[in-house]
PDB file of all heavy atoms in Angstrom:
ATOM      1  N   ALA Q  24     -24.774 -54.798  22.716  1.00 85.00           N
ATOM      2  CA  ALA Q  24     -23.403 -54.246  22.920  1.00 85.00           C
ATOM      3  C   ALA Q  24     -22.444 -55.011  21.937  1.00 85.00           C
ATOM      4  O   ALA Q  24     -22.608 -56.189  21.739  1.00 85.00           O
ATOM      5  CB  ALA Q  24     -22.944 -54.412  24.366  1.00 85.00           C
ATOM      6  N   PRO Q  25     -21.553 -54.286  21.360  1.00 84.00           N
ATOM      7  CA  PRO Q  25     -20.582 -54.924  20.471  1.00 84.00           C
ATOM      8  C   PRO Q  25     -19.635 -55.891  21.233  1.00 84.00           C
ATOM      9  O   PRO Q  25     -19.404 -55.722  22.441  1.00 84.00           O
ATOM     10  CB  PRO Q  25     -19.698 -53.789  19.885  1.00 84.00           C
ATOM     11  CG  PRO Q  25     -19.938 -52.585  20.797  1.00 84.00           C
ATOM     12  CD  PRO Q  25     -21.240 -52.839  21.477  1.00 84.00           C
ATOM     13  N   ALA Q  26     -19.214 -56.897  20.622  1.00 93.00           N
ATOM     14  CA  ALA Q  26     -18.386 -57.887  21.267  1.00 93.00           C
ATOM     15  C   ALA Q  26     -17.028 -57.252  21.578  1.00 93.00           C
ATOM     16  O   ALA Q  26     -16.602 -56.291  20.893  1.00 93.00           O
ATOM     17  CB  ALA Q  26     -18.171 -59.058  20.361  1.00 93.00           C
ATOM     18  N   PRO Q  27     -16.276 -57.777  22.557  1.00 95.00           N
ATOM     19  CA  PRO Q  27     -14.978 -57.209  22.827  1.00 95.00           C
ATOM     20  C   PRO Q  27     -14.067 -57.396  21.666  1.00 95.00           C
ATOM     21  O   PRO Q  27     -14.236 -58.473  20.932  1.00 95.00           O
ATOM     22  CB  PRO Q  27     -14.524 -57.946  24.066  1.00 95.00           C
ATOM     23  CG  PRO Q  27     -15.479 -59.097  24.249  1.00 95.00           C
ATOM     24  CD  PRO Q  27     -16.626 -58.766  23.470  1.00 95.00           C
ATOM     25  N   ALA Q  28     -13.073 -56.569  21.407  1.00 95.00           N
ATOM     26  CA  ALA Q  28     -12.096 -56.643  20.393  1.00 95.00           C
ATOM     27  C   ALA Q  28     -11.366 -58.004  20.438  1.00 95.00           C
ATOM     28  O   ALA Q  28     -10.919 -58.407  21.546  1.00 95.00           O
ATOM     29  CB  ALA Q  28     -11.103 -55.507  20.401  1.00 95.00           C
ATOM     30  N   THR Q  29     -11.310 -58.664  19.320  1.00 96.00           N
ATOM     31  CA  THR Q  29     -10.635 -59.955  19.276  1.00 96.00           C
ATOM     32  C   THR Q  29      -9.097 -59.802  18.885  1.00 96.00           C
ATOM     33  O   THR Q  29      -8.402 -60.793  19.099  1.00 96.00           O
ATOM     34  CB  THR Q  29     -11.278 -60.885  18.245  1.00 96.00           C
ATOM     35  OG1 THR Q  29     -11.144 -60.310  16.876  1.00 96.00           O
ATOM     36  CG2 THR Q  29     -12.669 -61.096  18.488  1.00 96.00           C
ATOM     37  N   GLY Q  30      -8.795 -58.647  18.256  1.00 96.00           N
ATOM     38  CA  GLY Q  30      -7.437 -58.471  17.831  1.00 96.00           C
ATOM     39  C   GLY Q  30      -7.187 -59.105  16.470  1.00 96.00           C
ATOM     40  O   GLY Q  30      -6.036 -58.972  15.893  1.00 96.00           O
ATOM     41  N   LYS Q  31      -8.194 -59.717  15.884  1.00 97.00           N
ATOM     42  CA  LYS Q  31      -8.058 -60.339  14.531  1.00 97.00           C
ATOM     43  C   LYS Q  31      -8.339 -59.246  13.513  1.00 97.00           C
ATOM     44  O   LYS Q  31      -9.223 -58.491  13.628  1.00 97.00           O
ATOM     45  CB  LYS Q  31      -8.895 -61.562  14.415  1.00 97.00           C
ATOM     46  CG  LYS Q  31      -8.568 -62.698  15.365  1.00 97.00           C
ATOM     47  CD  LYS Q  31      -9.503 -63.828  15.169  1.00 97.00           C
ATOM     48  CE  LYS Q  31      -9.018 -64.990  16.163  1.00 97.00           C
ATOM     49  NZ  LYS Q  31      -9.910 -66.162  15.956  1.00 97.00           N
ATOM     50  N   LYS Q  32      -7.622 -59.394  12.377  1.00 97.00           N
ATOM     51  CA  LYS Q  32      -7.858 -58.469  11.263  1.00 97.00           C
ATOM     52  C   LYS Q  32      -8.399 -59.294  10.093  1.00 97.00           C
ATOM     53  O   LYS Q  32      -7.882 -60.383   9.759  1.00 97.00           O
ATOM     54  CB  LYS Q  32      -6.600 -57.777  10.848  1.00 97.00           C
ATOM     55  CG  LYS Q  32      -6.024 -56.846  11.896  1.00 97.00           C
ATOM     56  CD  LYS Q  32      -4.747 -56.191  11.435  1.00 97.00           C
ATOM     57  CE  LYS Q  32      -4.165 -55.284  12.417  1.00 97.00           C
ATOM     58  NZ  LYS Q  32      -2.965 -54.684  12.034  1.00 97.00           N
ATOM     59  N   VAL Q  33      -9.493 -58.758   9.405  1.00 97.00           N
ATOM     60  CA  VAL Q  33     -10.052 -59.433   8.258  1.00 97.00           C
ATOM     61  C   VAL Q  33     -10.068 -58.493   7.081  1.00 97.00           C
ATOM     62  O   VAL Q  33     -10.481 -57.318   7.267  1.00 97.00           O
ATOM     63  CB  VAL Q  33     -11.491 -59.884   8.587  1.00 97.00           C
ATOM     64  CG1 VAL Q  33     -12.159 -60.718   7.494  1.00 97.00           C
ATOM     65  CG2 VAL Q  33     -11.451 -60.771   9.837  1.00 97.00           C
ATOM     66  N   ALA Q  34      -9.705 -58.990   5.919  1.00 98.00           N
ATOM     67  CA  ALA Q  34      -9.854 -58.308   4.724  1.00 98.00           C
ATOM     68  C   ALA Q  34     -10.988 -58.744   3.851  1.00 98.00           C
ATOM     69  O   ALA Q  34     -11.109 -59.963   3.703  1.00 98.00           O
ATOM     70  CB  ALA Q  34      -8.496 -58.394   3.850  1.00 98.00           C
ATOM     71  N   ILE Q  35     -11.850 -57.838   3.461  1.00 96.00           N
ATOM     72  CA  ILE Q  35     -12.979 -58.196   2.614  1.00 96.00           C
ATOM     73  C   ILE Q  35     -12.662 -57.684   1.188  1.00 96.00           C
ATOM     74  O   ILE Q  35     -12.375 -56.508   1.047  1.00 96.00           O
ATOM     75  CB  ILE Q  35     -14.226 -57.597   3.120  1.00 96.00           C
ATOM     76  CG1 ILE Q  35     -14.518 -57.925   4.577  1.00 96.00           C
ATOM     77  CG2 ILE Q  35     -15.448 -57.883   2.205  1.00 96.00           C
ATOM     78  CD1 ILE Q  35     -14.852 -59.416   4.763  1.00 96.00           C
ATOM     79  N   VAL Q  36     -12.736 -58.526   0.219  1.00 96.00           N
ATOM     80  CA  VAL Q  36     -12.493 -58.087  -1.153  1.00 96.00           C
ATOM     81  C   VAL Q  36     -13.816 -57.971  -1.845  1.00 96.00           C
ATOM     82  O   VAL Q  36     -14.581 -58.901  -2.036  1.00 96.00           O
ATOM     83  CB  VAL Q  36     -11.630 -59.174  -1.909  1.00 96.00           C
ATOM     84  CG1 VAL Q  36     -11.417 -58.731  -3.381  1.00 96.00           C
ATOM     85  CG2 VAL Q  36     -10.243 -59.399  -1.152  1.00 96.00           C
ATOM     86  N   GLY Q  37     -14.176 -56.732  -2.159  1.00 92.00           N
ATOM     87  CA  GLY Q  37     -15.465 -56.416  -2.783  1.00 92.00           C
ATOM     88  C   GLY Q  37     -16.434 -55.798  -1.812  1.00 92.00           C
ATOM     89  O   GLY Q  37     -16.722 -56.383  -0.740  1.00 92.00           O
ATOM     90  N   ALA Q  38     -16.884 -54.571  -2.180  1.00 92.00           N
ATOM     91  CA  ALA Q  38     -17.862 -53.859  -1.331  1.00 92.00           C
ATOM     92  C   ALA Q  38     -19.293 -54.003  -1.885  1.00 92.00           C
ATOM     93  O   ALA Q  38     -20.068 -53.036  -1.943  1.00 92.00           O
ATOM     94  CB  ALA Q  38     -17.489 -52.452  -1.203  1.00 92.00           C
ATOM     95  N   GLY Q  39     -19.597 -55.206  -2.397  1.00 89.00           N
ATOM     96  CA  GLY Q  39     -21.009 -55.383  -2.850  1.00 89.00           C
ATOM     97  C   GLY Q  39     -21.883 -55.793  -1.631  1.00 89.00           C
ATOM     98  O   GLY Q  39     -21.414 -55.720  -0.489  1.00 89.00           O
ATOM     99  N   PRO Q  40     -23.098 -56.157  -1.883  1.00 90.00           N
ATOM    100  CA  PRO Q  40     -23.963 -56.552  -0.803  1.00 90.00           C
ATOM    101  C   PRO Q  40     -23.447 -57.593   0.146  1.00 90.00           C
ATOM    102  O   PRO Q  40     -23.519 -57.393   1.372  1.00 90.00           O
ATOM    103  CB  PRO Q  40     -25.250 -57.003  -1.460  1.00 90.00           C
ATOM    104  CG  PRO Q  40     -25.264 -56.345  -2.772  1.00 90.00           C
ATOM    105  CD  PRO Q  40     -23.802 -56.221  -3.200  1.00 90.00           C
ATOM    106  N   ALA Q  41     -22.883 -58.653  -0.367  1.00 92.00           N
ATOM    107  CA  ALA Q  41     -22.343 -59.720   0.464  1.00 92.00           C
ATOM    108  C   ALA Q  41     -21.140 -59.161   1.283  1.00 92.00           C
ATOM    109  O   ALA Q  41     -20.997 -59.513   2.430  1.00 92.00           O
ATOM    110  CB  ALA Q  41     -21.988 -60.880  -0.387  1.00 92.00           C
ATOM    111  N   GLY Q  42     -20.193 -58.572   0.629  1.00 94.00           N
ATOM    112  CA  GLY Q  42     -19.011 -57.979   1.369  1.00 94.00           C
ATOM    113  C   GLY Q  42     -19.457 -57.035   2.473  1.00 94.00           C
ATOM    114  O   GLY Q  42     -18.861 -57.125   3.544  1.00 94.00           O
ATOM    115  N   LEU Q  43     -20.345 -56.153   2.209  1.00 93.00           N
ATOM    116  CA  LEU Q  43     -20.721 -55.170   3.259  1.00 93.00           C
ATOM    117  C   LEU Q  43     -21.486 -55.818   4.372  1.00 93.00           C
ATOM    118  O   LEU Q  43     -21.326 -55.481   5.517  1.00 93.00           O
ATOM    119  CB  LEU Q  43     -21.630 -54.041   2.642  1.00 93.00           C
ATOM    120  CG  LEU Q  43     -20.910 -53.183   1.578  1.00 93.00           C
ATOM    121  CD1 LEU Q  43     -21.863 -52.241   0.962  1.00 93.00           C
ATOM    122  CD2 LEU Q  43     -19.801 -52.405   2.246  1.00 93.00           C
ATOM    123  N   THR Q  44     -22.339 -56.843   4.046  1.00 94.00           N
ATOM    124  CA  THR Q  44     -22.983 -57.607   5.076  1.00 94.00           C
ATOM    125  C   THR Q  44     -22.073 -58.313   6.027  1.00 94.00           C
ATOM    126  O   THR Q  44     -22.138 -58.142   7.255  1.00 94.00           O
ATOM    127  CB  THR Q  44     -23.994 -58.578   4.450  1.00 94.00           C
ATOM    128  OG1 THR Q  44     -24.930 -57.925   3.659  1.00 94.00           O
ATOM    129  CG2 THR Q  44     -24.740 -59.290   5.482  1.00 94.00           C
ATOM    130  N   ILE Q  45     -21.104 -59.089   5.462  1.00 96.00           N
ATOM    131  CA  ILE Q  45     -20.215 -59.799   6.323  1.00 96.00           C
ATOM    132  C   ILE Q  45     -19.334 -58.848   7.067  1.00 96.00           C
ATOM    133  O   ILE Q  45     -18.941 -59.113   8.261  1.00 96.00           O
ATOM    134  CB  ILE Q  45     -19.427 -60.842   5.557  1.00 96.00           C
ATOM    135  CG1 ILE Q  45     -18.794 -61.893   6.568  1.00 96.00           C
ATOM    136  CG2 ILE Q  45     -18.429 -60.304   4.633  1.00 96.00           C
ATOM    137  CD1 ILE Q  45     -19.699 -62.610   7.480  1.00 96.00           C
ATOM    138  N   ALA Q  46     -18.901 -57.807   6.449  1.00 95.00           N
ATOM    139  CA  ALA Q  46     -18.087 -56.811   7.131  1.00 95.00           C
ATOM    140  C   ALA Q  46     -18.813 -56.211   8.415  1.00 95.00           C
ATOM    141  O   ALA Q  46     -18.219 -56.146   9.416  1.00 95.00           O
ATOM    142  CB  ALA Q  46     -17.731 -55.632   6.228  1.00 95.00           C
ATOM    143  N   GLY Q  47     -20.068 -55.912   8.231  1.00 93.00           N
ATOM    144  CA  GLY Q  47     -20.808 -55.460   9.343  1.00 93.00           C
ATOM    145  C   GLY Q  47     -20.917 -56.480  10.469  1.00 93.00           C
ATOM    146  O   GLY Q  47     -20.809 -56.187  11.677  1.00 93.00           O
ATOM    147  N   ASP Q  48     -21.189 -57.759  10.044  1.00 94.00           N
ATOM    148  CA  ASP Q  48     -21.241 -58.798  11.142  1.00 94.00           C
ATOM    149  C   ASP Q  48     -19.901 -59.025  11.838  1.00 94.00           C
ATOM    150  O   ASP Q  48     -19.880 -59.147  12.976  1.00 94.00           O
ATOM    151  CB  ASP Q  48     -21.662 -60.110  10.512  1.00 94.00           C
ATOM    152  CG  ASP Q  48     -23.113 -60.160  10.031  1.00 94.00           C
ATOM    153  OD1 ASP Q  48     -23.875 -59.229  10.513  1.00 94.00           O
ATOM    154  OD2 ASP Q  48     -23.567 -61.009   9.288  1.00 94.00           O
ATOM    155  N   LEU Q  49     -18.822 -58.994  11.066  1.00 96.00           N
ATOM    156  CA  LEU Q  49     -17.466 -59.240  11.595  1.00 96.00           C
ATOM    157  C   LEU Q  49     -17.114 -58.083  12.590  1.00 96.00           C
ATOM    158  O   LEU Q  49     -16.560 -58.273  13.607  1.00 96.00           O
ATOM    159  CB  LEU Q  49     -16.392 -59.277  10.571  1.00 96.00           C
ATOM    160  CG  LEU Q  49     -16.445 -60.676   9.737  1.00 96.00           C
ATOM    161  CD1 LEU Q  49     -15.593 -60.475   8.461  1.00 96.00           C
ATOM    162  CD2 LEU Q  49     -16.007 -61.753  10.565  1.00 96.00           C
ATOM    163  N   VAL Q  50     -17.501 -56.805  12.291  1.00 94.00           N
ATOM    164  CA  VAL Q  50     -17.298 -55.698  13.223  1.00 94.00           C
ATOM    165  C   VAL Q  50     -18.085 -55.914  14.487  1.00 94.00           C
ATOM    166  O   VAL Q  50     -17.583 -55.694  15.632  1.00 94.00           O
ATOM    167  CB  VAL Q  50     -17.605 -54.383  12.522  1.00 94.00           C
ATOM    168  CG1 VAL Q  50     -17.674 -53.293  13.609  1.00 94.00           C
ATOM    169  CG2 VAL Q  50     -16.610 -54.083  11.470  1.00 94.00           C
ATOM    170  N   LYS Q  51     -19.279 -56.332  14.405  1.00 93.00           N
ATOM    171  CA  LYS Q  51     -20.155 -56.657  15.562  1.00 93.00           C
ATOM    172  C   LYS Q  51     -19.512 -57.786  16.424  1.00 93.00           C
ATOM    173  O   LYS Q  51     -19.698 -57.737  17.651  1.00 93.00           O
ATOM    174  CB  LYS Q  51     -21.508 -57.070  15.169  1.00 93.00           C
ATOM    175  CG  LYS Q  51     -22.430 -56.003  14.678  1.00 93.00           C
ATOM    176  CD  LYS Q  51     -23.838 -56.629  14.447  1.00 93.00           C
ATOM    177  CE  LYS Q  51     -24.467 -55.963  13.233  1.00 93.00           C
ATOM    178  NZ  LYS Q  51     -25.714 -56.574  12.839  1.00 93.00           N
TER     179      LYS Q  51
END
């Protein structure tokens, strides 16, 4: 199950493999 919303916003600069990976983790 996804974690409850934290209310925090994160900006990822660059949609390469690393950016997409960490974005997916942060959403989880």
Side-chain angles (χ1 to χ4, degrees):
T29 63
K31 295 182 180 178
K32 296 180 180 180
V33 180
I35 304 292
V36 179
L43 294 174
T44 299
I45 193 61
D48 288 345
L49 288 166
V50 167
K51 286 184 214 172

